[in-house]
Coordinates of all heavy atoms in Angstrom, one line a residue:
Chain N
Q37 N 100.3 113.1 99.9 CA 101.0 114.3 99.6 C 101.2 114.5 98.1 O 101.9 113.6 97.6 CB 102.3 114.5 100.4 CG 103.0 115.7 100.2 CD 104.2 115.9 101.1 OE1 104.6 114.9 101.8 NE2 104.9 117.0 101.0
D38 N 100.7 115.5 97.5 CA 101.0 115.7 96.1 C 101.5 117.0 95.9 O 101.1 118.0 96.6 CB 99.6 115.5 95.4 CG 99.0 114.2 95.6 OD1 99.5 113.3 94.9 OD2 98.0 114.0 96.3
P39 N 102.4 117.2 94.9 CA 102.9 118.5 94.7 C 102.0 119.6 94.5 O 101.0 119.5 93.7 CB 103.7 118.3 93.4 CG 104.0 116.9 93.4 CD 103.0 116.2 94.0
G40 N 102.1 120.8 95.1 CA 101.1 121.9 95.1 C 99.8 121.7 95.8 O 99.0 122.6 95.8
L41 N 99.6 120.5 96.4 CA 98.3 120.2 97.0 C 98.6 120.0 98.6 O 97.6 120.0 99.4 CB 97.6 119.0 96.5 CG 97.1 119.2 95.0 CD1 96.5 117.9 94.6 CD2 96.2 120.4 94.9
G42 N 99.7 119.9 99.1 CA 100.0 119.6 100.4 C 99.6 118.3 100.9 O 99.5 117.3 100.1
L43 N 99.1 118.2 102.1 CA 98.8 116.9 102.8 C 97.2 117.0 102.9 O 96.7 117.8 103.4 CB 99.3 116.7 104.2 CG 100.9 116.6 104.3 CD1 101.4 117.0 105.6 CD2 101.2 115.1 104.1
R44 N 96.7 115.9 102.3 CA 95.3 115.6 102.4 C 94.9 114.3 103.1 O 95.4 113.3 102.8 CB 94.7 115.7 101.0 CG 94.9 117.1 100.4 CD 94.2 117.0 99.0 NE 94.9 116.2 98.1 CZ 94.5 115.7 96.8 NH1 93.3 116.1 96.4 NH2 95.2 114.9 96.1
Q45 N 93.9 114.4 104.0 CA 93.7 113.3 104.8 C 92.7 112.3 104.0 O 91.7 112.7 103.5 CB 92.9 113.7 106.1 CG 92.7 112.6 107.1 CD 92.0 113.0 108.4 OE1 91.0 113.7 108.3 NE2 92.5 112.8 109.5
I46 N 93.0 111.0 104.1 CA 92.3 110.0 103.4 C 91.2 109.3 104.3 O 90.1 109.3 104.1 CB 93.2 108.9 102.9 CG1 94.3 109.6 101.9 CG2 92.4 107.9 102.1 CD1 95.4 108.7 101.5
Y47 N 91.7 108.8 105.4 CA 90.9 108.1 106.5 C 91.6 108.4 107.8 O 92.8 108.5 107.9 CB 90.8 106.6 106.3 CG 89.6 106.2 105.4 CD1 89.8 106.0 104.0 CD2 88.4 106.0 106.0 CE1 88.7 105.6 103.2 CE2 87.3 105.6 105.2 CZ 87.5 105.4 103.8 OH 86.4 105.1 103.0
Y48 N 90.8 108.3 108.8 CA 91.5 108.2 110.2 C 90.7 107.3 111.1 O 89.6 106.9 110.8 CB 91.4 109.7 110.8 CG 90.2 110.3 111.1 CD1 89.5 110.2 112.3 CD2 89.4 111.1 110.1 CE1 88.3 110.6 112.6 CE2 88.3 111.6 110.3 CZ 87.6 111.5 111.5 OH 86.4 112.0 111.9
S49 N 91.3 106.9 112.2 CA 90.7 106.0 113.2 C 91.0 106.5 114.6 O 92.1 106.7 114.9 CB 91.3 104.6 113.0 OG 91.0 103.8 114.0
M50 N 89.9 106.7 115.3 CA 90.1 107.2 116.7 C 90.4 106.0 117.7 O 90.8 106.3 118.8 CB 88.7 107.9 117.1 CG 88.4 109.1 116.3 SD 89.7 110.4 116.4 CE 89.4 110.9 118.2
N51 N 90.1 104.8 117.3 CA 90.4 103.7 118.0 C 90.1 102.4 117.3 O 89.7 102.5 116.1 CB 89.6 103.7 119.4 CG 90.4 103.1 120.6 OD1 91.2 102.2 120.4 ND2 90.1 103.6 121.8
V52 N 90.4 101.2 118.0 CA 90.1 100.0 117.4 C 88.7 99.9 116.8 O 87.7 100.2 117.6 CB 90.5 98.8 118.2 CG1 90.1 97.4 117.6 CG2 92.0 98.9 118.6
E53 N 88.6 99.4 115.6 CA 87.1 99.2 115.0 C 86.4 100.4 114.7 O 85.3 100.4 114.4 CB 86.4 98.2 115.9 CG 87.0 96.9 116.1 CD 87.1 96.1 114.8 OE1 86.7 96.5 113.7 OE2 87.7 94.9 114.8
V54 N 87.1 101.7 114.9 CA 86.4 103.0 114.6 C 87.3 103.7 113.6 O 88.4 104.1 113.8 CB 86.3 103.8 115.9 CG1 85.6 105.1 115.6 CG2 85.6 103.1 117.0
T55 N 86.7 103.8 112.4 CA 87.3 104.6 111.3 C 86.3 105.6 110.6 O 85.1 105.4 110.8 CB 87.8 103.7 110.2 OG1 86.7 102.9 109.6 CG2 88.8 102.6 110.8
D56 N 86.9 106.6 110.1 CA 86.1 107.6 109.4 C 86.8 108.2 108.3 O 88.1 108.2 108.2 CB 85.6 108.7 110.5 CG 84.3 109.3 110.0 OD1 83.8 109.2 109.0 OD2 83.8 110.0 110.9
K57 N 85.9 108.7 107.3 CA 86.6 109.3 106.1 C 87.2 110.7 106.4 O 86.7 111.5 107.2 CB 85.5 109.4 105.0 CG 84.8 108.2 104.6 CD 83.7 108.4 103.7 CE 83.1 107.1 103.2 NZ 81.9 107.3 102.3
G58 N 88.2 110.9 105.8 CA 88.8 112.3 105.7 C 88.3 113.0 104.4 O 87.2 112.8 104.1
D59 N 89.2 113.8 103.9 CA 88.8 114.6 102.7 C 88.8 114.0 101.4 O 88.1 114.4 100.5 CB 89.7 115.8 102.7 CG 89.6 116.8 103.9 OD1 88.4 116.9 104.4 OD2 90.5 117.3 104.5
V60 N 89.6 113.0 101.2 CA 89.8 112.2 99.9 C 89.8 110.8 100.1 O 90.7 110.1 99.7 CB 91.0 112.8 99.2 CG1 91.0 114.1 98.7 CG2 92.2 112.5 100.3
P61 N 88.6 110.2 100.5 CA 88.6 108.8 100.7 C 88.3 107.9 99.5 O 88.5 106.7 99.6 CB 87.4 108.7 101.7 CG 86.4 109.8 101.3 CD 87.4 110.9 100.9
E62 N 87.9 108.5 98.5 CA 87.4 107.7 97.3 C 88.6 106.9 96.8 O 89.7 107.4 96.5 CB 86.9 108.6 96.1 CG 85.7 109.5 96.5 CD 85.9 110.5 97.4 OE1 87.0 111.0 97.5 OE2 84.9 111.0 98.1
G63 N 88.3 105.6 96.6 CA 89.2 104.6 96.0 C 90.1 103.9 97.1 O 91.0 103.2 96.8
Y64 N 89.9 104.3 98.4 CA 90.7 103.7 99.5 C 89.8 102.9 100.5 O 88.7 103.3 100.6 CB 91.5 104.8 100.1 CG 92.4 105.7 99.3 CD1 91.9 106.8 98.8 CD2 93.6 105.2 99.0 CE1 92.7 107.7 98.0 CE2 94.4 106.0 98.2 CZ 94.0 107.2 97.7 OH 94.8 108.0 96.8
K65 N 90.4 102.0 101.1 CA 89.8 101.4 102.3 C 90.8 101.3 103.4 O 92.0 101.3 103.1 CB 89.3 100.0 101.9 CG 88.0 99.9 101.0 CD 87.7 98.5 100.6 CE 87.5 97.6 101.9 NZ 87.2 96.2 101.5
V66 N 90.3 101.2 104.6 CA 91.2 101.0 105.7 C 90.5 100.1 106.7 O 89.3 99.7 106.5 CB 91.5 102.3 106.5 CG1 92.3 103.3 105.7 CG2 90.2 102.9 107.0
S67 N 91.3 99.4 107.6 CA 90.8 98.7 108.7 C 91.6 98.9 110.0 O 92.8 99.3 109.9 CB 90.8 97.2 108.2 OG 92.2 96.7 108.2
R68 N 91.0 98.8 111.1 CA 91.7 98.9 112.4 C 91.3 97.7 113.2 O 90.4 97.9 114.2 CB 91.3 100.3 113.0 CG 92.2 100.6 114.3 CD 93.5 101.3 113.8 NE 94.3 101.5 114.9 CZ 94.2 102.6 115.7 NH1 93.2 103.6 115.5 NH2 95.0 102.8 116.7
K69 N 91.8 96.6 113.1 CA 91.5 95.4 113.8 C 92.3 95.4 115.1 O 91.9 94.7 116.1 CB 91.7 94.1 113.1 CG 90.7 94.1 111.8 CD 90.8 92.7 111.1 CE 89.7 92.5 110.1 NZ 89.6 93.7 109.2
E70 N 93.5 96.0 115.0 CA 94.4 96.1 116.3 C 94.9 97.5 116.4 O 94.8 98.3 115.5 CB 95.7 95.2 116.0 CG 95.5 93.8 115.5 CD 96.8 93.2 115.0 OE1 97.1 93.4 113.9 OE2 97.4 92.5 115.7
K71 N 95.2 97.8 117.7 CA 95.5 99.1 117.9 C 96.7 99.6 117.2 O 96.9 100.8 116.8 CB 95.8 99.3 119.5 CG 95.8 100.7 120.0 CD 95.8 100.6 121.5 CE 95.5 102.1 122.0 NZ 95.5 102.1 123.5
R72 N 97.8 98.8 117.0 CA 99.0 99.2 116.5 C 99.0 99.3 115.0 O 99.8 99.9 114.4 CB 100.1 98.2 116.9 CG 100.0 96.8 116.5 CD 101.2 95.9 117.1 NE 102.3 96.3 116.5 CZ 103.4 96.7 117.1 NH1 103.4 96.7 118.4 NH2 104.6 96.9 116.5
N73 N 98.1 98.6 114.2 CA 98.2 98.5 112.8 C 96.9 99.2 112.1 O 95.8 99.2 112.6 CB 98.1 97.1 112.4 CG 99.3 96.3 112.9 OD1 100.5 97.0 112.8 ND2 99.1 95.1 113.3
F74 N 97.3 99.9 111.0 CA 96.2 100.6 110.2 C 96.6 100.6 108.8 O 97.1 101.5 108.2 CB 96.1 102.1 110.8 CG 95.1 102.9 110.2 CD1 93.8 102.4 110.3 CD2 95.2 104.2 109.9 CE1 92.6 103.1 109.9 CE2 94.1 105.0 109.5 CZ 92.8 104.5 109.4
P75 N 96.3 99.4 108.1 CA 96.7 99.3 106.8 C 95.8 100.1 105.8 O 94.6 100.4 106.1 CB 96.5 97.8 106.5 CG 95.4 97.4 107.5 CD 95.7 98.2 108.8
L76 N 96.4 100.6 104.7 CA 95.6 101.3 103.7 C 95.5 100.4 102.5 O 96.5 99.9 102.0 CB 96.4 102.5 103.3 CG 95.8 103.4 102.2 CD1 94.4 104.1 102.7 CD2 96.7 104.5 101.7
I77 N 94.3 100.1 102.0 CA 94.0 99.2 100.9 C 93.6 100.0 99.7 O 92.5 100.9 99.7 CB 92.9 98.2 101.4 CG1 93.5 97.5 102.7 CG2 92.7 97.2 100.3 CD1 92.4 96.9 103.5
L78 N 94.2 99.7 98.6 CA 93.7 100.2 97.3 C 93.1 98.9 96.5 O 93.9 98.2 96.1 CB 94.7 100.9 96.6 CG 95.2 102.3 97.0 CD1 96.0 102.3 98.4 CD2 96.0 103.0 95.9
E79 N 91.9 98.8 96.4 CA 91.2 97.6 95.8 C 91.5 97.7 94.3 O 91.8 96.6 93.7 CB 89.6 97.7 96.0 CG 89.3 97.5 97.5 CD 89.2 96.1 97.9 OE1 89.4 95.2 97.1 OE2 88.8 95.8 99.1
S80 N 91.4 98.8 93.7 CA 91.6 98.8 92.2 C 92.3 100.1 91.9 O 91.7 101.1 91.5 CB 90.3 98.6 91.5 OG 90.5 98.6 90.1
P81 N 93.7 100.2 92.1 CA 94.5 101.4 92.0 C 94.3 101.9 90.6 O 94.2 101.2 89.6 CB 95.8 101.0 92.3 CG 95.7 99.7 93.1 CD 94.5 99.1 92.5
S82 N 94.3 103.3 90.5 CA 94.3 104.0 89.3 C 95.5 105.0 89.2 O 95.9 105.4 90.4 CB 93.0 104.7 89.1 OG 92.8 105.7 90.1
P83 N 95.9 105.4 88.0 CA 97.0 106.4 88.0 C 96.9 107.7 88.9 O 97.9 108.2 89.3 CB 97.1 106.8 86.5 CG 96.6 105.5 85.8 CD 95.4 105.0 86.8
N84 N 95.6 108.1 89.1 CA 95.4 109.3 89.9 C 95.7 109.1 91.4 O 95.6 110.0 92.1 CB 94.1 109.9 89.6 CG 93.0 109.0 90.1 OD1 93.1 108.1 90.8 ND2 91.7 109.5 89.8
Q85 N 96.1 107.8 91.7 CA 96.3 107.5 93.0 C 97.9 107.4 93.3 O 98.3 107.1 94.3 CB 95.8 106.2 93.5 CG 94.3 106.3 93.7 CD 93.5 105.1 94.1 OE1 93.6 104.1 93.3 NE2 92.9 105.1 95.3
T86 N 98.6 107.8 92.2 CA 100.0 107.9 92.3 C 100.3 109.1 93.2 O 99.9 110.2 92.9 CB 100.7 108.2 90.9 OG1 100.5 106.9 90.0 CG2 102.2 108.6 90.9
S87 N 101.0 108.9 94.3 CA 101.2 109.8 95.2 C 102.2 109.3 96.4 O 102.7 108.2 96.4 CB 99.9 110.1 96.0 OG 100.0 111.3 96.9
L88 N 102.6 110.3 97.2 CA 103.4 110.0 98.5 C 102.4 109.9 99.5 O 101.7 110.7 99.9 CB 104.4 111.0 98.7 CG 105.3 110.9 99.9 CD1 106.1 109.6 99.9 CD2 106.2 112.1 100.0
Y89 N 102.4 108.7 100.2 CA 101.4 108.4 101.3 C 102.2 108.4 102.6 O 103.2 107.8 102.9 CB 100.7 107.1 101.1 CG 99.8 107.1 99.9 CD1 100.3 106.8 98.6 CD2 98.5 107.4 100.0 CE1 99.5 106.9 97.5 CE2 97.6 107.4 98.9 CZ 98.0 107.1 97.6 OH 97.3 107.1 96.7
F90 N 101.5 109.0 103.6 CA 101.9 109.1 105.0 C 100.9 108.6 106.0 O 99.8 108.9 105.9 CB 102.4 110.5 105.4 CG 103.6 110.9 104.7 CD1 103.5 111.9 103.7 CD2 104.8 110.6 105.3 CE1 104.6 112.3 103.1 CE2 106.0 111.1 104.6 CZ 105.9 111.9 103.5
C91 N 101.4 107.7 106.9 CA 100.6 107.2 107.9 C 101.0 108.1 109.2 O 102.3 108.5 109.3 CB 100.9 105.7 108.3 SG 99.9 104.9 109.7
A92 N 100.1 108.3 110.1 CA 100.5 109.1 111.3 C 99.7 108.6 112.5 O 98.5 108.0 112.3 CB 100.1 110.7 111.1
S93 N 100.2 108.8 113.6 CA 99.4 108.4 114.9 C 99.7 109.4 116.0 O 100.5 110.4 115.9 CB 100.0 107.1 115.4 OG 101.3 107.1 115.9
S94 N 98.8 109.4 116.9 CA 98.8 110.3 118.1 C 98.1 109.7 119.3 O 97.2 108.9 119.2 CB 98.2 111.6 117.7 OG 98.1 112.5 118.8
D95 N 98.5 110.2 120.5 CA 97.8 109.7 121.7 C 97.0 110.8 122.1 O 96.3 110.6 123.2 CB 98.9 109.2 122.7 CG 99.8 110.3 123.1 OD1 99.9 111.3 122.6 OD2 100.5 110.0 124.2
T96 N 97.0 111.9 121.6 CA 96.2 113.1 122.0 C 95.2 113.7 121.2 O 94.4 114.4 121.6 CB 97.1 114.2 122.5 OG1 98.0 114.5 121.4 CG2 98.0 113.7 123.6
L97 N 95.3 113.4 119.9 CA 94.5 114.1 118.9 C 92.9 113.9 119.2 O 92.6 112.7 119.6 CB 94.7 113.8 117.5 CG 95.9 114.4 116.9 CD1 95.8 114.4 115.3 CD2 96.1 115.8 117.3
G98 N 92.1 114.7 119.1 CA 90.8 114.7 119.3 C 90.3 114.8 120.8 O 89.2 114.6 121.1
Q99 N 91.3 115.1 121.7 CA 90.9 115.2 123.0 C 91.2 116.5 123.6 O 91.0 116.8 124.8 CB 91.9 114.1 123.8 CG 91.7 112.7 123.4 CD 92.7 111.8 124.0 OE1 93.2 112.0 125.2 NE2 93.1 110.7 123.4

Side-chain angles (χ1 to χ4, degrees):
Chain N
Q37 182 177 1
D38 302 287
L41 296 178
L43 290 157
R44 295 180 293 168
Q45 190 180 49
I46 302 171
Y47 270 94
Y48 65 94
S49 169
M50 297 299 291
N51 211 328
V52 175
E53 301 295 356
V54 179
T55 63
D56 208 344
K57 297 178 181 179
D59 296 319
V60 289
E62 295 77 20
Y64 304 95
K65 286 176 58 177
V66 293
S67 69
R68 188 89 183 274
K69 293 183 170 56
E70 306 167 278
K71 198 172 188 178
R72 64 182 292 126
N73 296 322
F74 191 43
L76 179 69
I77 303 158
L78 284 71
E79 295 272 4
S80 182
S82 62
N84 64 12
Q85 292 178 297
T86 292
S87 186
L88 178 59
Y89 291 86
F90 287 100
C91 180
S93 72
S94 174
D95 61 350
T96 55
L97 282 200
Q99 300 174 29

